[in-house]
Amino acid sequence: MLCFHAYVCLLSLTLPLSLWSTAECVLGKPHRLWLQPLIQSHFQSGSLPSGFLWGVASSAFPTEGSWDADGKGESVWDRFTHRSSIDGARVDTADVASDSYVQWKEDVKSVQYLGVNFYAFSLSWARIFPDGNATSEPNHAGVEHYLRLIRKLKELGVEPVVTLHHWDLPQTLQERFGGWLNPNMADIFAEYAAFCFRTFGGDVQYWLTLHNPFLLAIQGYGTGAHAPGVTGEPADPFIAAHNLIRAHAKAWHIYDKQFRAHQHGQVSITLGSQWVEPFHGHATSANVELCQKSMEAVIGWFAEPIHGSGDYPASLKASNRGVIPEFSLEERIWVKGTADFFSLAFGPETMRVVKGLAWFGQKVTPDLRSVLVWIQQEYDDPRVLVAESGWFSNASVGVDDTVAIYVLKTFIMQVLQAISIDSVKVFGYAAWSLVDGFEWNHGYTIRKGLFYIDFSQPQRRRLPKTSAHFYRQIILSINDTQNINGQFPCDFQFGVADSILQVHLHPFSPQFIDRHLYRWNYSGDGALKPVTGIVLHTRPAQCTDFLYIQHHVILVKATAASHYRFALDWSQLVPSGDLSSVDPEKLRFYRCVLSEIRRMGIQPVVTLYHPNYSSPTLGLPDPLYANGGWRNDSTLEAFIKYAVFCYREFGALVPTWITINEPNRLMETYGGTTEDRRTAARHLLLAHAKAWHIYDARFRQKHRGMVSFALHADWVEPTNPFLESHKSAAQHFLFFELGRFLDPFIGGGDSDIQEGNVRSLIGFTDDEREELKAALDFIALNHFTTRLVSPLHPQSPQNPNPQNQDHGCSLGRDKTLPSSKMEQAVVPWGLRRMLGWMKNRYGNGIPIIITASGIDDQAAYDDQLRQSYIRNYLQEALKAYELDGVNLKGFYVWKLQDRHDPQFGLFKSADHDSQPKASVNLYRDIIRDRGFPPAVDRGPSCQHKDSSASCGICMQIAENKSLLFFSVCLSVILSFIIINTICVVRKRRRTAQRLCTRHKTTAHLHH
């Protein structure tokens, strides 16, 4: 497992209590975000908005270096770092930093490698105007530098997103005016902005006036942790913030009036935020109000005037009366709406500060999705650009930044969820940052870049980290997750899979086998009592006597599955392991199950031995387990006899056999030595091979069935897919899990020793290799999820107690992916990759069947996780069949019914009346359509040979033989009554006719 310790490395900083004073509690807007958590959908793909922009970002001061080259002026951060170095408090400076001013072409190459749509960077105000005065002559070297950069980006099809000011104020303005504490700074900044719009605006469509003014106000003019390092009056942060907002508004109005009409660009301001959860997770009304207040005190401080009402949040004003400036009515109108989109910065800096300020006992979390939804609900659903999104690594981390990959992936997934599920209008995302640099007051002690720089080397070479490779891969493949239309062939096996089908001799119907005659209420007591002295003739026992079977088979039929897989209980059927102990009633039970399944038009797939891990004997007959189980060849011999017995007793009813379920998992239960596990694996595979040969020689010609064994076949991905050691570990693990079990049957008798160390090999004699070869009719795979794998480091924090890990790998789970309660990750594309691996290794000569695939879902009825799982995994199966040409013949959903609480079942447990869950209807629809046909053309229907399935009334009668008997009896009685009535009527007519004739004859004689 990966440990994300970086998430919680947040530094606490102080701030005057006035900002977060709780002396007066002002109710925030009611927010269901804390009362009703966001929908945790299990989507795997979602459509990005048209023209979605992928980007990368950086900032001038941490990267440019050349602090006094080519006429650049001193900035407040130059002075701040130099002064600290002299004082001995800090030894790092950004005098060279990443050397981006000199190596800007290398930065552009790095941007180009990532394949992004835009590059967000900031201008150094002091490089363009050394003294900050935009009415004076600019520094032409600085202007030309940025013109070259912007033009090169445009030439490469990369959109420049330009920030005017990212904290590095010219030192002259700080000395002359007191920096952002002076209201005149708004006009000075507006003049600088106008110059930039005029000079660069023809090639810039997106402008950002300021970057995260919250940190600039708090850290620069409150705590003094940032330049210019002011620690003055409690009101100073609010005054600085007020002037920053006014400066932004002036710049926006200048662009709107003077440049928008012919440059057609957009202007915004980048605001930083955090996310907070309620006190101890208790979402009471009071705690929700405090959470809202926390959001308003950070992002709302700047967003409410610009994107909202034009004024500060009421809670912020109420908590800071006397220190927070006020906007006049005219200023509120003037400030309101001065942003063409919402620009968001979401990174560790804001969270560090906020955690230090969280006086309400709240939990600060890196939940980007919740922040995006909060913005959507709070500010009338604006278009959003995520202009900064990233985390940090320790300075010691080099190009192998595996943790950073999963942090970046987490943020991207949260953005995709906000778009696909919550309908937030995010139109762009920028990973922060392009290269390692000087990280403000942290200096070089942390790294944020996608490209690594060794600051001890003067060349400052850019080396892509594994996170850069990952981000590039994301951008290239983000649209390669679309579903396809298509259908599986008519003979495709849509199945349901179960484990051991327990023998249920009760409830049992005694109808027609009880020899007594009864009379009811003879003595007026309402009792049913036998009549003494009378013995009835009865019929032999029938399968309908097992009421459980009737109920169970009806559930299978309700899924519309063509195949049903279940396992016999070896330990119940043959308790001693010796065929002399066969239980005849249990034998009859299983024969009835098979005959009833076949009668329903469903093909049974029978597993001879399915290990029961909840049983102390693993589902083996007690004497066999006591004798060492699969480590002893006596179990192998007993299994062969058991298999022959089953073939003989059930062979006419079973077209497909699975000898052993998941021998690759079963062998791991033998926790002794590696040799013990290897011996168990050897006996398991030989047991299958011998059983296969017996079926082939003695039963195949008559029954024409197929025989295989089923492997547990989860896919694995390298934890870091850009490290050779991790990729090698993944390939070795697949060999260990699958190759060494299948190679002896398909690959020539034993596994290639070069694919793993000698310990991985099972080891067979020459005769055994010959016996194993080709003893397999199809490949049966049980696939559920995808895991992460990396080389195993003995006694590492990730694996403090390694045991039974003969494969030499460390396994984990990708926590960025949707998962079930049992922590099974939903990774549909892993199935397709697994099938592709099988095809590449073994070709297409032998068919593949997914004999079990499913997920636990705690929902009582609306099992959305399972529905999503079935739909998406079958989509990937269809892609493997249609696009990759995999010889895939079937897919079985695991499993039919829960035993107790909701888990893997398509139906609730019998304790809950076996009610179907929503996934049953979904699966039925997919089976009906044979996949996912186009809506306008569902293709030709398949001609089913099973006529019983086409007669609904017949099926209802067949499901209840007592009803059938009653119907026959009723029909006979009605027929008898009708015939008798007809005869009586005819007799009466003949009698009447004779009397009439006699009367006429007598009358004629008299006449």
Side-chain angles (χ1 to χ4, degrees), residues 336-385:
K336 180 180 178 180
T338 54
D340 301 316
F341 56 91
F342 200 109
S343 182
L344 174 67
F346 193 81
E349 293 299 324
T350 304
M351 293 181 63
R352 284 190 184 100
V353 175
V354 170
K355 187 175 182 182
L357 307 177
W359 299 102
F360 307 140
Q362 296 155 344
K363 180 182 178 182
V364 182
T365 65
D367 190 346
L368 175 54
R369 178 187 174 190
S370 291
V371 174
L372 290 169
V373 176
W374 188 89
I375 292 169
Q376 176 197 52
Q377 296 181 0
E378 197 76 13
Y379 300 115
D380 196 25
D381 196 16
R383 295 170 64 245
V384 181
L385 171 68

Side-chain angles (χ1 to χ4, degrees), residues 802-879:
Q803 63 179 20
N804 291 4
Q805 290 181 314
D806 299 331
H807 47 67
C809 299
S810 178
L811 296 172
R813 174 175 65 91
D814 188 345
K815 295 181 179 180
T816 68
L817 297 174
S819 298
S820 68
K821 186 176 181 180
M822 295 176 68
E823 297 189 344
Q824 178 183 324
V826 182
V827 197
W829 49 260
L831 172 60
R832 183 181 178 187
R833 293 188 183 183
M834 169 58 71
L835 292 171
W837 186 87
M838 286 287 170
K839 179 187 175 185
N840 291 337
R841 190 175 184 93
Y842 302 115
N844 252 359
I846 185 167
I848 300 174
I849 299 175
I850 303 301
T851 45
S853 185
I855 194 167
D856 61 294
D857 191 325
Q858 311 305 307
Y861 170 73
D862 189 15
D863 50 351
Q864 294 186 16
L865 174 58
R866 181 176 296 104
Q867 294 177 66
S868 173
Y869 182 98
I870 293 173
R871 184 187 303 109
N872 291 322
Y873 273 65
L874 273 167
Q875 258 289 330
E876 294 301 313
L878 182 63
K879 290 177 185 176

Side-chain angles (χ1 to χ4, degrees), residues 606-663:
V606 174
T607 303
L608 293 175
Y609 174 53
H610 190 295
N612 182 357
Y613 297 108
S614 62
S615 165
T617 67
L618 297 175
L620 288 171
D622 289 351
L624 298 180
Y625 182 79
N627 204 28
W630 288 101
R631 286 174 295 192
N632 193 315
D633 58 7
S634 62
T635 301
L636 185 158
E637 297 301 327
F639 178 80
I640 300 306
K641 296 175 182 178
Y642 164 64
V644 173
F645 169 78
C646 292
Y647 294 156
R648 184 176 62 248
E649 294 293 332
F650 308 127
L653 297 170
V654 179
T656 307
W657 294 93
I658 300 292
T659 54
I660 301 167
N661 188 68
E662 299 186 354

Side-chain angles (χ1 to χ4, degrees), residues 454-489:
D454 184 349
F455 294 107
S456 67
Q457 300 297 318
Q459 297 85 2
R460 299 298 202 263
R461 289 182 56 207
R462 278 93 168 115
L463 298 175
K465 301 180 184 179
T466 54
S467 57
H469 298 309
F470 170 76
Y471 191 46
R472 180 175 187 265
Q473 186 181 74
I474 285 288
I475 295 169
L476 291 174
S477 63
I478 194 66
N479 294 318
D480 190 29
T481 57
Q482 301 302 313
N483 291 336
I484 66 169
N485 291 321
Q487 291 178 294
F488 293 101

Side-chain angles (χ1 to χ4, degrees), residues 715-762:
W715 182 243
V716 292
E717 284 286 312
T719 301
N720 189 326
F722 308 103
L723 294 180
E724 287 301 323
S725 60
H726 288 216
K727 289 191 285 187
S728 296
Q731 288 304 312
H732 172 70
F733 185 82
L734 289 171
F735 159 74
F736 185 90
E737 277 280 276
L738 301 171
R740 67 184 184 140
F741 287 88
L742 288 174
D743 285 2
F745 297 90
I746 311 172
D750 206 345
S751 303
D752 186 350
I753 195 170
Q754 295 181 354
E755 295 198 53
N757 55 44
V758 177
R759 297 193 338 161
S760 299
L761 300 179
I762 296 172

Side-chain angles (χ1 to χ4, degrees), residues 304-445:
E304 184 63 23
I306 296 168
H307 295 276
S309 65
D311 199 359
Y312 295 116
S315 63
L316 189 68
K317 293 196 296 182
S319 297
N320 297 280
R321 287 195 178 98
V323 293
I324 189 169
E326 294 184 4
F327 287 113
S328 66
L329 177 60
E330 293 78 9
E331 285 178 322
R332 290 200 294 270
I333 296 173
W334 177 70
V335 169
K336 180 180 178 180
T338 54
D340 301 316
F341 56 91
F342 200 109
S343 182
L344 174 67
F346 193 81
E349 293 299 324
T350 304
M351 293 181 63
R352 284 190 184 100
V353 175
V354 170
K355 187 175 182 182
L357 307 177
W359 299 102
F360 307 140
Q362 296 155 344
K363 180 182 178 182
V364 182
T365 65
D367 190 346
L368 175 54
R369 178 187 174 190
S370 291
V371 174
L372 290 169
V373 176
W374 188 89
I375 292 169
Q376 176 197 52
Q377 296 181 0
E378 197 76 13
Y379 300 115
D380 196 25
D381 196 16
R383 295 170 64 245
V384 181
L385 171 68
V386 181
E388 175 190 345
S389 176
W391 211 250
F392 63 90
S393 302
N394 293 327
S396 60
V397 175
V399 295
D400 173 10
D401 57 343
T402 303
V403 172
I405 289 177
Y406 289 91
V407 176
L408 178 59
K409 186 178 181 182
T410 297
F411 289 145
I412 292 174
M413 290 290 289
Q414 289 176 353
V415 170
L416 293 177
Q417 288 176 325
I419 294 170
S420 300
I421 302 171
D422 310 312
S423 301
V424 180
K425 297 175 182 175
V426 181
F427 69 90
Y429 175 90
W432 192 280
S433 67
L434 178 65
V435 296
D436 288 335
F438 180 86
E439 294 302 336
W440 309 104
N441 54 316
H442 301 288
Y444 300 107
T445 62

Side-chain angles (χ1 to χ4, degrees), residues 159-175:
E159 192 67 37
V161 177
V162 181
T163 297
L164 294 173
H165 178 52
H166 191 145
W167 307 350
D168 50 345
L169 187 73
Q171 178 64 26
T172 302
L173 297 180
Q174 183 65 34
E175 294 174 351

